[in-house]
C-alpha cells in the first residue's frame, strides 16, 4: 500500500511523518516529499534491479535485488549466475528481512552491565578497540565465518599488522570430513563438487542435497534436469536415499533404504563391492580396492547396517548398469566420529562407478582458508586458559551454533574483552563488551567464490539504515588509530577501493552490473586413487551414552544451523516433512511412540550423557525405530522472532536447542561430528500441542496430489492421471469408471472475456516439485502477507496464499476423527510415494467463491483471473466456506498494524495493498506484476509476450516446476507444459470448478534396479 | 420574405444583423496577436504571482513555498512534464526534486522571496514538504503513464493548474449515469470517464 | 347460520361500560398491571446480560474476529448457528396467525398474540447475527442495493443477498400482522387506562371504536395479511436453507434442505411458544384462556414436525451413502462419530426421539412434560444448526486443511445475550400490550353462547365452567 510505504519513507529521511491539517481543507493533508537530488537511475514508481550475492549459506547464489525508491523490496535469483540460474531457495528469499530487522544494532554499543548496553560514537568505539588491541597484542584473535576472499585477505593483513594471534574460521556445516577424505582418497586438496545433471543414478547417503547440502539450488536444478520425463527415456535418473530418516530430500527419492545411522560407509563399500562383482569399475580401481572391498561382502554388511543383502546386491547391479551413477556423502546429521572414512568410502563408490571427473569433480588445488573445527576447539581452549585477551567475532553466532558441551559461552567469560561485529543481536553479541555493527549484506560491498569459475560480487543496494560500518573499514580505522607504525602496514582507502583493486583483473563496471565474473569451470585434471585409498578404516560410529535411540541432530531446511531462526518467514513456513511451524519437535517412529505410550505432541525427555532436552514428539513412519531426530535451529534466547519474544516472553527460548545435548565430538581428522550420542527417551506426561499447519497428510484418494507409474507414462495412457495415477479400488473412494465419468474435460482458456487476449493460467509439475518451499517465502515477501506467529499458527490462522501440501501416497479412508494427525504409517522403507503439491488459488473458470459473495468483492475478471477486491470485502467469509481448495485467508486481526515492527514496513511491496482487519485475501496470480507488464506492453502498443511476466512463486522455483502464462497464447510455455496427456490433471476435477491450474502428476519410477 | 408578417421580418432582420455583428467581433478577436510569453525579467508579474500563491483568501492550503503554477505553466508556458518528469514513464507522477528547481533558479529569480526559501532548502539539502492537493482514496493504483500516453490532458484530473496561482482541488462532480454524485477523484468519477472512453472497468485494474 | 341475538351483537359492537367490565378484559388486562418484584428483577437481569453482550461485540469489532473461535477452514460458527436458530423460532407466530387463521382453527385464538409477538422479537434477534458475524460490520450497508457514487451493485446470485430480502420482508409483514391484530385490544386498554398509557394507546388504537365497518375492515385486513404471510412462512426458511444448499460444501449441498429447514423451523417455533407460554400462563393465571387443549394441539404439531425432521436426518445420511461421493460419506460419518459426535447425538435425541412421548395422550396433556420436552427441543434445534454448519466445514474436500472449531467466550456471551435480548422484548411486551387477543377470545365466548357443544367441549369444559 503506497500509503504506509510513504509514511515509512518519511521516517527514513527523518522528515516528520505527521499529517498537517491545512487551511481551507477539513481532512488532513498528506505531504509529498521529493528528492533533494534525484539519482538519474531512479524514476519514482519504477523498480531498479541490482545484482548482488546471497550470503545466507556458503553456496553463494547470485541475486537480483529489486529496489523501489532506493529500498530493496524483493530478492530474486540472478539468471546469469551459474550457480542458481535465476532461482533462489527459501532462505535466500527471506534474507531480505535481515536489513530491516528489529533486532538490528542501531550503532556502536558498549556493554555497561549484564545484558545492558549504551550507545557510543564510532570515534569513541574505535579508540576503545584500538586501546584494547594495543593491550592484547598477540592475545588478539578473530573468529568468524567465511567473510569472502577479499575481506579475508585484508582481515589477515590487519591481524598481521597489529600483531594479533590469528584468525579462526568457523562454519558449522562445513564439509571438513569430505575434504579430508578427498585428500586421503585422491590426494587432492580441493573440495569435491557433485553435479547431478547427467547422472542416471543418484545414491544419497544422507547429504540432503535439496535442503542444506553444499548448494541446494544448483543441486535441485540438476536433479530436476536429470529426471526430466519430458526429454524421453534417457533422462529418467533413479534416486536412492540411504539413511535412517525420510528427510525432504528423501521424500523425492524413488527408494528409501533405511540403513542404520553411521552405516553409510559400510553400505557404500558393500554396494561398491556388489557393483564390482557385477562388472563395474576400471581395472585400476578394481585392483586398488580389491583388498578393501574384500571385507565388505553384502551378506556380512547386511547385519551391521540393517539393510538386506539383496537390496545391496540390487543397488550394486544398478550402479554397474548405470552409465553415470553419482553417490553423495552424508551431510552434517550423519557426520559421525568416523566421518572421514565414511566420506572416503562414498568417494570410492564414485570411483568404482566411474563418475569421478564427470559427476564428481575434485580439484587438486585447495581454495584459500577454510573452516576448521579443530582450530575452533583450540581457540576455545586458549580462551579457557586465558591466553586470549581480545576476541573479535565477525559474522556467525558461535555461542549458539557450537555444541554447548564445548563450553564456548563459559570460555567467552574468561576473555577480558570481546568485540562483536554482528549487525543483528544474537546470543554472541549479547555477551560482547563492545558491538561494532557491520552492514547487512544488502548494504555492504564484498565478494564470494560461489563455484570454480564463478566469482560473485556483493554490492550495496540501499544506504545503510543504521549507524553501521563495514567490518574491514572498522578494522582499518582501528589500525590507523594505533599509530603510524601500524598504519604504514595498512592500505589507505576504504574496503570499497580495496575490493576494486582485488577485481582489477576484471572489468569492474561489468562485474558490478552482472553480479560478478562468471567463466566456465576450469577443466579439472583427472585425479586417480591415492595409494592410501585402499586402506581406509570404515567402522561403526562411536556413540556416547547407553540409550536405545541414536540421536539425530537434523539441519533444519529453513533455519539451517540456526541463523534463519530470526527470519519470521522461515519460522512461519512449515517444515517440509512434518509441516510444523515456529516450534521444535522430536521425530520418533510409530513403534517407539507405542512403546513409550506417546501421542502426537506429548512431551518427551531426551537424555544424553551431555544433558536433557524436553520436546514434543512427532511420531511417523519415515524414521527408523532406533532413531530419534530433532531439528537444529530453534532454542534461541535472543532475538524478536528467534526467541519467544514475539510470543510475549522475551529472553525465553523458542523451542528446544538440540545442540545442548550433543557432545563436542570430532571425527578422525578433527572435523565436527554431529552423530555422536545415544539418547534415552522418557515420557514426561506433559503435552505441548504442535502447530501442524497441514493437519493431515492423508489425501484419502481425492484428486489432489496425483502420481502415474512410469510404465503408464511410456504407454502414453492418457487416463492414468485422470484416474488419479495407479488408483485401484483399495481405498474405495469411487475412483474407476464411475469416477472417470465425472471428470468432464474442459478448455480453461475459454474462461475469460472473449475479447481479452489473455487467460492467465499455470502449470505445476509435481514430478519437479521437491517441497523446498522457496515459492512459499517468495509469495510472502512479494505480496506483503502477514506473519501470524506461533500462537496463531496453533489456532490454524496462517495467512500464506501458497502452501506445499505433502501427501503420502493415495492415502486411505482411515482417521480424521482427531486433528491434527501425524504422517501416516504408510511412510515406510522401500519405494517412496510422497507427493509435494503446491496449493494456491486455482483461479477457477467456474469459481464457487464468486457466486456466493453478496457484494461482488470476488469475481472473474476479463483476463480470467479470480479477482479479490479487498476494499469491497465486508467479510461474510462465505467465499472461503465454498472454496473446495481452501486457499482463501481471512484477516482475523489488523495485521497491517502489528505485523511489520520497526523499519520492517520499508520492505513492503508498494504495488500490493496491505490488507486490513476483517477482509478476505488470497493468491492474485501476482496481478501487480501482470499490470506492470501490461502497462509496459500497452505503451509499446503490443500485447504481453510469453515470459515477460511471471509470478513470484514461478520465478523463485529452483526446478522450474511452476510455469505461469497466457493460456490463449498457443506457443506459451504454460500451454506447452500443461499439454501432457498422460500426466495432466486438475485438482478436485469432479467438482467442475474449471481450474486455471493444470497439475502434472508425479512420476513413480519404482524400485531401483528392477526397471527393465 | 413572402408570407412573413412584419413582426417576423423585423425579427429576421435583427437576427441577421446580430449574426453579422457577432461574426465581425469574432474575426477581430482572431486577428489580434496571441499574448507572447512574458520574459523572465518582468519580475513584477512574478512578484504578483507569488503574492497570490500565498493569498490567505484563495482556496487551497498554504504551501511551504509561494509557488505559482499559473506563472510557470501559464505565463511562461512550461510543459508539465518538464518539471514532473517520469510521469509519462512511471505509474507515479514525479514531484520535481529541489535540484531540478535550482536548475533554473540558480540562474535568476533570486530576488523573489519564494526562490530564497527554495535556495534555503537547497543549501540545507532538505526536501520541500509540499502539501498534497490531488489525493486518491486509499487502495487505488493509478498508473499516470497510461493516462498521459492515452493523450489525457493533466488538466482533466488536476484542473486548470495553468490558471491557478495557489493550487487547490477544483470542484467537479459527475452525476450521470448514477443517482448519486461522485466528487472529483472519487471512484464513480473515474468510472464515468472509463465508461465514456470505453476502457477497462475491471476492478482489478485499479484495486490490488 | 342463525343471526346472533341483539345482545351479543351489541357486545361485539361497542365497548362495555367499565362498570360491567367482562371477566376476560379484567383477567387479561390484569397482566399489564403493576410489575411485581420478580418481574423487575428478571428484567434487570436480562438487560444487564444484553449490555454485557453489547460490550463483547464492541470489543470484537475493535480487536477483530480473531477473538471468536473461527479457524481455517471453519469460517462460520455460533453466530450463523444462532441466526438460523432465531429465524426458525420466528416461524410459529406467522404459522399460527396466518395459516391456522385461514384454516379457521379456532383454538389458535388464545395463543396467536403471544406467538406473533415472539415472531417479531425472534426476527429482531436473528437479524442482528448476520451483522455480528461480518468482518467489517460498519460496511454492512454494502449488502443493500442502493445507488452509490461507486456505481457498484450487489450480487443477486448470492444466497446471502436473498437472506437480506427474505428476512427483512418477513420482519415487516410479521410486525404489521402483530400490530393490526392488536388494534381492537389497544382500544380496550385505552378505554381502561389513564396517564401516559392512555396517550400511547390513543395513538396506537388509531381511533378504534369497534363499529361494524371498522370490524369489517379489520377482519378483511387480517384475512388478506394472512394470505400474504402464508407463503412467507415457507419462503423465509427455505431461503435461509439455501445459504447452505446452494454451496458445494459436503453436508450442505442437499436438495432436501428447504423443506427440512421449514419443518424444523415450525418445530422449534412451537417449542419456543410452549417454553414461554407455560410459565406465563402459570404466573398470570390465564388457565381459563390458554387451556391444556391449546397445548395439546401444539404438541400434536410438534409430533408431526418432529417426524418430518427425523425423516430428514435419515434422508441426509442415506443420500450421503447413496451418492457414493467419498467426501460426502466421510463428512457424514465424521458428523456422527467424529469430533462433534456429541452435538450430533444431542440433536438427534432431542429432535427425533424425545418428542415421540407425545404419542401418549397422558403426556400430551401433562404440562411439566410438555415444558421439559419443549425446552429440550429448543436445545436440540440449536445443536442441529451447529452440527450442520460446523461439522460440515470442519471436514471438507481438502484434508490438508481440515480443522477444529470451539466457540470462544465472546461468541458464547453474545449467544447468551441474544436470549436475553429476546426475553427483554417479551417482558416489556407483557406489560404494555394484552398478551392474549381479547377480541378473539370474546369471539369464541360468543361463539360458544350461540353454538354450545363447539370446540370448547372437546376437552370437557362446560360453558358453566368457563363462566
Amino acid at each position: 500500500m503506497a500509503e504506509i510505504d510513504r509514511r515509512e519513507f518519511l521516517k527514513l529521511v527523518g522528515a516528520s511523518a505527521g499529517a498537517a491539517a491545512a487551511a481551507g481543507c477539513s481532512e488532513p493533508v498528506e505531504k509529498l516529499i521529493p528528492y533533494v537530488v534525484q539519482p538519474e537511475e531512479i524514476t519514482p514508481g519504477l523498480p531498479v534491479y541490482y545484482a548482488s550475492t546471497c550470503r545466507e549459506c556458503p553456496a553463494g547464489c547470485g541475486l537480483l535485488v529489486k529496489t523501489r525508491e532506493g529500498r530493496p523490496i524483493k530478492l530474486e535469483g540472478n539468471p546469469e549466475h551459474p550457480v542458481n540460474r535465476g532461482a533462489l531457495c527459501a532462505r535466500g528469499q527471506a534474507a531480505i528481512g535481515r536489513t530491516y530487522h528489529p533486532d538490528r544494532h542501531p550503532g556502536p554499543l558498549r556493554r555497561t552491565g549484564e545484558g545492558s548496553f549504551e550507545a557510543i560514537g564510532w570515534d569513541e568505539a574505535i579508540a576503545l578497540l584500538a586501546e584494547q588491541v594495543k593491550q592484547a597484542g598477540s592475545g588478539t584473535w578473530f573468529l568468524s565465518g567465511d567473510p569472502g576472499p577479499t575481506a579475508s585477505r585484508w582481515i589477515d593483513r590487519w591481524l598481521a599488522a597489529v600483531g594479533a594471534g590469528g584468525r579462526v574460521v568457523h562454519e558449522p556445516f562445513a564439509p571438513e570430513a569430505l575434504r579430508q577424505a578427498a585428500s586421503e582418497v585422491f590426494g587432492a586438496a580441493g573440495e569435491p563438487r557433485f553435479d547431478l545433471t547427467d547422472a542416471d543414478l543418484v545414491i544419497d547417503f544422507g547429504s540432503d542435497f535439496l535442503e542444506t547440502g553444499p548448494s541446494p539450488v544448483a543441486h535441485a536444478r540438476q536433479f530436476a534436469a536429470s529426471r526430466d520425463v519430458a526429454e524421453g527415456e534417457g533422462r529418467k535418473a533413479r534416486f536412492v536415499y540411504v539413511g535412517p530418516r525420510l528427510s525432504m530430500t528423501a521424500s523425492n527419492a524413488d527408494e528409501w533404504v533405511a540403513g542404520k545411522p553411521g552405516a553409510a560407509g559400510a553400505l557404500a563399500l558393500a554396494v561398491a563391492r556388489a557393483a564390482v562383482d557385477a562388472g563395474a569399475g576400471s581395472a585400476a580401481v578394481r585392483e586398488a580396492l580389491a583388498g578393501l572391498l574384500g571385507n565388505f561382502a553384502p551378506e556380512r554388511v547386511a547385519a551391521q547396517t540393517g539393510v538386506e543383502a539383496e537390496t545391496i546386491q540390487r543397488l550394486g547391479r544398478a550402479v554397474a548398469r548405470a552409465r553415470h551413477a553419482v553417490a553423495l556423502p552424508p551431510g552434517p546429521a550423519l557426520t559421525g566420529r568416523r566421518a572421514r572414512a565414511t566420506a572416503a568410502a562414498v568417494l570410492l563408490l564414485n570411483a568404482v562407478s566411474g563418475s569421478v571427473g564427470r559427476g564428481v569433480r575434485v580439484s587438486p588445488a585447495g581454495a584459500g582458508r577454510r573452516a576448521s573445527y579443530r582450530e575452533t576447539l583450540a581457540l576455545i581452549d586458549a580462551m579457557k586458559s586465558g591466553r586470549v585477551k581480545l576476541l573479535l567475532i565477525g559474522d556467525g553466532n558461535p555461542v549458539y551454533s557450537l555444541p554447548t558441551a564445548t563450553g564456548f559461552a563459559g570460555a567467552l567469560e574468561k576473555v577480558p574483552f570481546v568485540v562483536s561485529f554482528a549487525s543483528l543481536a544474537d546470543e554472541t553479541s549479547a555477551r560482547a563488551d563492545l558491538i561494532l555493527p557491520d552492514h547487512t549484506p544488502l548494504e555492504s560491498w564484498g565478494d564470494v567464490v560461489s563455484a570454480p569459475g564463478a566469482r560473485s560480487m556483493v554490492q550495496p543496494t540501499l544506504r545503510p539504515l543504521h549507524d553501521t560500518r563495514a567490518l574491514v573499514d572498522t578494522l582499518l580505522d582501528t589500525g590507523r588509530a594505533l599509530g603510524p607504525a601500524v598504519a604504514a602496514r595498512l592500505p589507505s582507502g576504504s574496503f570499497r577501493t580495496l575490493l576494486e583493486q582485488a577485481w582489477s583483473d576484471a572489468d569492474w563496471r561489468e562485474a558490478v552490473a552482472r553480479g560478478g565474473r562468471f567463466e566456465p569451470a576450469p577443466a579439472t585434471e583427472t585425479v586417480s586413487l591415492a595409494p592410501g585409498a585402499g586402506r581406509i578404516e570404515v567402522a561403526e560410529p562411536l556413540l556416547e551414552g547407553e540409550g536405545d535411540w541414536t540421536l539425530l541432530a537434523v539441519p533444519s531446511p529453513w533455519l539451517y544451523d540456526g541463523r534463519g531462526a530470526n527470519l519470521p518467514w522461515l519460522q512461519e513456513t512449515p517444515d517440509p516433512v512434518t509441516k510444523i511451524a515456529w516450534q521444535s519437535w522430536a521425530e520418533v517412529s510409530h513403534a517407539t511412540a507405542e512403546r513409550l505410550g506417546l501421542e502426537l505432541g506429548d512431551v518427551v525427555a531426551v537424555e544424553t550423557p551431555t544433558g536433557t532436552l524436553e520436546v514434543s514428539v512427532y511420531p511417523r513412519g519415515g524414521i527408523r525405530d532406533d532413531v530419534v531426530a530433532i531439528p537444529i535451529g530453534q532454542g534461541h534466547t535472543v532475538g524478536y522472532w528467534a526467541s519467544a519474544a514475539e510470543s510475549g516472553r522475551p529472553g525465553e527460548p523458542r523451542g528446544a536447542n538440540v545442540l545442548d545435548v550433543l557432545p563436542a565430538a570430532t571425527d578422525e581428522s578433527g572435523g565436527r561430528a554431529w552423530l555422536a550420542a545415544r539418547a534415552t527417551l522418557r515420557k514426561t506426561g506433559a503435552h505441548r500441542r504442535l502447530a501442524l499447519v497441514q493437519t493431515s497428510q492423508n489425501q484419502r484418494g481425492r484428486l489432489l496430489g496425483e502420481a502415474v507409474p512410469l510404465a503408464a507414462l511410456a504407454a502414453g495412457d492418457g487416463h492414468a492421471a485422470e484416474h488419479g495415477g495407479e488408483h485401484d479400488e483399495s481405498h474405495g473412494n469411487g475412483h474407476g469408471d464411475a469416477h472417470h465419468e465425472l471428470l468432464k474435460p474442459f478448455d480453461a482458456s475459454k474462461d475469460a472475456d472473449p475479447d481479452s487476449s489473455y487467460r492467465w493460467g499455470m502449470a505445476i509439475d509435481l514430478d519437479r516439485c521437491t517441497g523446498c518451499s522457496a515459492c512459499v517465502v517468495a509469495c510472502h515477501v512479494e505480496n506483503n502477507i502477514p506473519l501470524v506467529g506461533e500462537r496463531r499458527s496453533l489456532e490454524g490462522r496462517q495467512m500464506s496464499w501458497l502452501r506445499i501440501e505433502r501427501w503420502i501416497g493415495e492415502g486411505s479412508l482411515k482417521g480424521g476423527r482427531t486433528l491434527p494427525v501425524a504422517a501416516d504409517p504408510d511412510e515406510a522403507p522401500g519405494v517412496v510415494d510422497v507427493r509435494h503439491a503446491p496449493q494456491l488459488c486455482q483461479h477457477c473458470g467456474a469459481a464457487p467463491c464468486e457466486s456466493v459473495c453478496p457484494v461482488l468483492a470476488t469475481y472473474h475478471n476479463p483476463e480470467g483471473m479470480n479477482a479479490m477486491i479487498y476494499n469491497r470485502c465486508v467479510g461474510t467469509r462465505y467465499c472461503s466456506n465454498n472454496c473446495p481448495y481452501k486457499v482463501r485467508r481471512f484477516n482475523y486481526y489488523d495485521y497491517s498494524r502489528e505485523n511489520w515492527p520497526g523499519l520492517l514496513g520499508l520492505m513492503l511491496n508498494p504495488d500490493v495493498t496491505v490488507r486490513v482487519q476483517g477482509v478476505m485475501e488470497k493468491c492474485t496470480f501476482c496481478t501487480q506484476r501482470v499490470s506492470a507488464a501490461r502497462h509496459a506492453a500497452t505503451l509499446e502498443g503490443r500485447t504481453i509476450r510469453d515470459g515477460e511476466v511471471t509470478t513470484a512463486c514461478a520465478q523463485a522455483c529452483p526446478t522450474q516446476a511452476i510455469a505461469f502464462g497466457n493460456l490463449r497464447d498457443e506457443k506459451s510455455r504454460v500451454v506447452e507444459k500443461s499439454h501432457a496427456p498422460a500426466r495432466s490433471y486438475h485438482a478436485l476435477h469432479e467438482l467442475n470448478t474449471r481450474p486455471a491450474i493444470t497439475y502434472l502428476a508425479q512420476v513413480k519410477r519404482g524400485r531401483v534396479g528392477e526397471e527393465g | 420574405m413572402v408570407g412573413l408578417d412584419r413582426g417576423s421580418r423585423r425579427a429576421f432582420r435583427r437576427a441577421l444583423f446580430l449574426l453579422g455583428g457577432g461574426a465581425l467581433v469574432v474575426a477581430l478577436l482572431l486577428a489580434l496577436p496571441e499574448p507572447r510569453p512574458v520574459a523572465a525579467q518582468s519580475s513584477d508579474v512574478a512578484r504578483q504571482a507569488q503574492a497570490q500563491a500565498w493569498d490567505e483568501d484563495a482556496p487551497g492550503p498554504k504551501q511551504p513555498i509561494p509557488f505559482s503554477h499559473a506563472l510557470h505553466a501559464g505565463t511562461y508556458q512550461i510543459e508539465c512534464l518538464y518539471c514532473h518528469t517520469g510521469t509519462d514513464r512511471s505509474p507515479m507522477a514525479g514531484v520535481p526534486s529541489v535540484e531540478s528547481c535550482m536548475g533554473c533558479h540558480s540562474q535568476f529569480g533570486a530576488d523573489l522571496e519564494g526562490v530564497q526559501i527554495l535556495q534555503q532548502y537547497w543549501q540545507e539539502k532538505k526536501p520541500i514538504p509540499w502539501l498534497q492537493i490531488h489525493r486518491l482514496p486509499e487502495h487505488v493504483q493509478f498508473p499516470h503513464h497510461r493516462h498521459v500516453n492515452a493523450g489525457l490532458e493533466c488538466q482533466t484530473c488536476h484542473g486548470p493548474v495553468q490558471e491557478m496561482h495557489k493550487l487547490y482541488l477544483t470542484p467537479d462532480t459527475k452525476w450521470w449515469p448514477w443517482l448519486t454524485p461522485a466528487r472529483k477523484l472519487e471512484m464513480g468519477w473515474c468510472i464515468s470517464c472509463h465508461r465514456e472512453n470505453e476502457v477497462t472497468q475491471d476492478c482489478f485494474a485499479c484495486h490490488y | 347460520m342463525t343471526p346472533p341475538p341483539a345482545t351479543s351483537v351489541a357486545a361485539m359492537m361497542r365497548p362495555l361500560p367499565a362498570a360491567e367490565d367482562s371477566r376476560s378484559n379484567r383477567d387479561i388486562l390484569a397482566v399489564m398491571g403493576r410489575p411485581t418484584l420478580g418481574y423487575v428483577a428478571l428484567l434487570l437481569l436480562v438487560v444487564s446480560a444484553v449490555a454485557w453482550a453489547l460490550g463483547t461485540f464492541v470489543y470484537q469489532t475493535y480487536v477483530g474476529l480473531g477473538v471468536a473461535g473461527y479457524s481455517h477452514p471453519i469460517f462460520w460458527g455460533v453466530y450463523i448457528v444462532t441466526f438460523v436458530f432465531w429465524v426458525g423460532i420466528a416461524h410459529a407466530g406467522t404459522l399460527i396467525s396466518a395459516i391456522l387463521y385461514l384454516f379457521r382453527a379456532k383454538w389458535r385464538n388464545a395463543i396467536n398474540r403471544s406467538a406473533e409477538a415472539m415472531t417479531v422479537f425472534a426476527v429482531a434477534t436473528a437479524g442482528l447475527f448476520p451483522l455480528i458475524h461480518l468482518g467489517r460490520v460498519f460496511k454492512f450497508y454494502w449488502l443493500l442495493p442502493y445507488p452509490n457514487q461507486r456505481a457498484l451493485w450487489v450480487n443477486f446470485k448470492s444466497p446471502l443477498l436473498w437472506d437480506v430480502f427474505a428476512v427483512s420482508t418477513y420482519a415487516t409483514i410479521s410486525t404489521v400482522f402483530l400490530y393490526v391484530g392488536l388494534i381492537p385490544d389497544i382500544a380496550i386498554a385505552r378505554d381502561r387506562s389513564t396517564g401516559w398509557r392512555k396517550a400511547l394507546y390513543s395513538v396506537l388504537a388509531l381511533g378504534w371504536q369497534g363499529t361494524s365497518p371498522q370490524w369489517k375492515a379489520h377482519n378483511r385486513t387480517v384475512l388478506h395479511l394472512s394470505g400474504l404471510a402464508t407463503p412467507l412462512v415457507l419462503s423465509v426458511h427455505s431461503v435461509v436453507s439455501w445459504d447452505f444448499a446452494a454451496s458445494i460444501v459436503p453436508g450442505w449441498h442437499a436438495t432436501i434442505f428447504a423443506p427440512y429447514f421449514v419443518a424444523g423451523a415450525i418445530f422449534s417455533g412451537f417449542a419456543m411458544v410452549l417454553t414461554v407460554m407455560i410459565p406465563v400462563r402459570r404466573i398470570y393465571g390465564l388457565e381459563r384462556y390458554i387451556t391444556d387443549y391449546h397445548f395439546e394441539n401444539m404438541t400434536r404439531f410438534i409430533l408431526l414436525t418432529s417426524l418430518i425432521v427425523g425423516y430428514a436426518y435419515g434422508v441426509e445420511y442415506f443420500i450421503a451413502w447413496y451418492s457414493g461421493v467419498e467426501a460426502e460419506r466421510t463428512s457424514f460419518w465424521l458428523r456422527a462419530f467424529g469430533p462433534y459426535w456429541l452435538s450430533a447425538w444431542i440433536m438427534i435425541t432431542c429432535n427425533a426421539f424425545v418428542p415421540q412421548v407425545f404419542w401418549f395422550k397422558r403426556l400430551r396433556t401433562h404440562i411439566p412434560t410438555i415444558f421439559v420436552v419443549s425446552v429440550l427441543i429448543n436445545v436440540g434445534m440449536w445443536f442441529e444448526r451447529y452440527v450442520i454448519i460446523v461439522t460440515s466445514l470442519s471436514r471438507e474436500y481438502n484434508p490438508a486443511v481440515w480443522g477444529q472449531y470451539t466457540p470462544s467466550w465472546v461468541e458464547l456471551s453474545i449467544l447468551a445475550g441474544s436470549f436475553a435480548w429476546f426475553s427483554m422484548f417479551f417482558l416489556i411486551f407483557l406489560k404494555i400490550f394484552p398478551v392474549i387477543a381479547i377480541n378473539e377470545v370474546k369471539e369464541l365466548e360468543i361463539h360458544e353462547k350461540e353454538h354450545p357443544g363447539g370446540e370448547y367441549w372437546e376437552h370437557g369444559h362446560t360453558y358453566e365452567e368457563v363462566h
Side-chain angles (χ1 to χ4, degrees), chain A residues 1 3 5-6 20 22-24 27-38 43-46 68-69 859 861-862 865-871 910-914 916 924 927-928 931 934-935 938-939, chain B residues 56 60-62 85-100 121-122 125-133 135 138-141 143 145-146 149 166 183 200-205 207-208:
Chain A
M1 186 165 76
E3 176 52 25
D5 155 50
R6 192 188 305 120
E27 60 198 40
V29 173
E30 279 298 322
K31 292 189 175 173
L32 289 173
I33 306 298
Y35 282 94
V36 175
V37 180
Q38 181 169 331
T43 310
L46 295 181
R68 272 287 299 272
E69 287 84 64
Y859 69 98
N861 91 332
M865 281 181 181
N866 172 250
M868 177 71 218
I869 308 303
Y870 311 120
N871 45 325
D911 295 335
V912 178
T913 306
V914 172
V916 298
T924 61
T927 185
Q928 67 279 8
S931 295
R934 195 189 300 108
H935 296 329
T938 319
L939 294 190
Chain B
E56 291 301 332
K62 184 184 177 192
T85 50
T87 312
D88 56 342
R89 281 178 287 118
S90 155
M92 270 193 200
V95 182
S97 65
V98 184
E99 186 188 31
S100 52
Y121 277 109
W122 175 243
K125 290 285 171 281
K126 280 220 190 83
I128 306 166
W130 297 107
L131 300 182
Q132 190 179 22
I133 307 290
R135 178 159 176 69
E138 287 301 335
H139 314 303
V140 185
Q141 310 274 350
H145 53 340
R146 290 291 299 280
N149 286 283
K166 188 181 188 186
R183 268 175 38 246
T200 178
Q201 285 156 46
D202 176 13
C203 316
F204 233 20
H207 303 294
Y208 50 79

Side-chain angles (χ1 to χ4, degrees), chain A residues 150 153-154 157 447 455 457 476 480 490-506 508:
Chain A
T150 308
R153 187 180 316 122
W154 289 108
R157 288 275 289 277
D447 55 0
R455 277 175 75 190
M457 170 76 69
L476 291 176
R480 291 170 190 133
L490 293 174
S492 58
S494 69
F495 179 57
R496 161 78 170 66
T497 52
L498 296 175
L499 188 70
E500 194 160 350
Q501 286 162 22
W503 282 69
S504 53
D505 57 335
W508 171 258

Side-chain angles (χ1 to χ4, degrees), chain A residues 446-712:
Chain A
D447 55 0
V448 181
V449 177
S450 312
R455 277 175 75 190
S456 314
M457 170 76 69
V458 181
Q459 69 166 311
T461 57
L462 80 160
R463 217 184 59 214
L465 288 177
H466 298 280
D467 184 13
T468 55
R469 266 201 209 189
L471 190 154
V472 174
D473 287 338
T474 313
L475 293 180
L476 291 176
D477 291 350
T478 313
R480 291 170 190 133
L482 281 166
V486 178
R489 274 174 278 153
L490 293 174
S492 58
S494 69
F495 179 57
R496 161 78 170 66
T497 52
L498 296 175
L499 188 70
E500 194 160 350
Q501 286 162 22
W503 282 69
S504 53
D505 57 335
D507 176 347
W508 171 258
R509 290 198 65 83
E510 196 204 351
V512 170
R514 293 184 53 194
R517 182 142 167 254
F518 313 126
E519 295 148 344
T524 51
E525 52 266 45
T526 50
V527 290
S528 54
L529 289 181
R535 289 195 296 279
I536 63 171
E537 289 149 9
V538 174
E540 298 258 343
L542 311 156
L543 299 175
E544 288 181 18
E546 287 312 311
D548 303 355
W549 291 273
T550 307
L551 174 60
L552 225 57
V554 187
S556 157
W558 312 153
L559 311 184
Y560 201 65
D561 60 359
R563 68 184 62 173
N566 56 6
L567 294 174
W569 300 270
L570 298 178
Q571 292 273 13
E572 186 98 347
T573 308
D575 176 86
V577 173
T578 61
K579 294 296 171 188
I580 297 170
W582 290 96
Q583 295 175 328
S584 288
W585 66 92
E587 290 172 33
V588 296
S589 73
H590 286 284
T592 307
E594 273 165 37
R595 189 177 137 195
L596 296 170
L598 293 167
E599 295 288 326
L600 176 70
D602 287 353
V603 177
V604 68
V606 182
E607 292 174 357
T608 70
T610 322
T612 307
L613 190 76
E614 293 203 348
V615 60
S616 304
V617 290
Y618 179 91
R620 59 180 293 217
I623 190 166
R624 280 181 63 93
D625 293 344
D626 57 1
V627 169
V628 53
I630 303 177
I632 301 165
Q634 295 287 28
H636 287 267
T637 52
V638 175
Y640 182 69
W641 285 291
S643 76
E646 177 269 347
S647 316
R649 307 193 306 278
E652 277 183 49
R654 169 182 303 289
N657 182 1
V658 64
L659 302 181
D660 290 344
V661 294
L662 278 189
T666 58
D667 65 19
E668 307 96 314
S669 49
R672 182 169 179 175
W674 299 76
L675 178 71
R678 292 187 178 283
T680 39
L681 301 184
R682 191 165 39 74
K683 182 179 184 173
T684 61
H687 181 91
R688 202 178 302 124
R689 256 182 75 223
L690 287 169
L692 263 71
V693 176
Q694 180 175 349
T695 43
S696 159
Q697 300 191 8
N698 170 8
Q699 64 171 320
R700 312 178 76 86
R702 297 176 184 180
L703 208 54
L704 288 161
E706 294 302 310
V708 285
L710 191 55

Side-chain angles (χ1 to χ4, degrees), chain C residues 271-376:
Chain C
M272 185 56 93
V273 172
L274 285 172
T275 320
V276 174
M277 287 319 286
I278 288 174
V280 169
R281 178 180 93 151
R282 181 73 189 284
I283 293 162
Y284 293 105
L286 299 173
E287 285 79 359
R288 178 163 166 274
Y289 308 93
I290 309 170
T291 64
D292 297 0
Y293 167 69
H294 296 110
F295 288 158
E296 187 182 353
N297 277 319
M298 293 176 71
T299 56
R300 290 204 176 102
F301 250 93
I302 285 178
L303 188 53
L304 170 70
T305 44
S306 155
L307 290 172
I308 301 177
V309 169
Y311 169 77
Y313 295 164
V315 169
E316 271 192 313
Y317 276 86
F318 172 76
I319 294 298
W321 166 78
Y322 187 66
S323 70
V325 178
E326 184 269 328
E328 287 279 345
R329 288 180 176 179
T330 309
S331 174
F332 276 91
W333 175 259
L334 291 173
R335 180 180 284 190
F337 304 108
Y340 296 99
W341 63 272
L342 188 59
S343 337
W345 289 108
I346 290 177
M347 141 185 141
I348 293 172
T349 320
C350 295
N351 299 344
F353 296 141
V354 172
Q356 303 308 320
V357 301
F358 289 145
W359 284 110
F360 308 102
K361 170 113 185 163
R362 165 103 53 53
L363 297 172
R364 272 212 304 277
T365 51
H366 182 245
I367 300 304
T369 316
I370 301 180
F371 184 70
V372 170
V373 171
S374 65
V375 170
L376 285 180

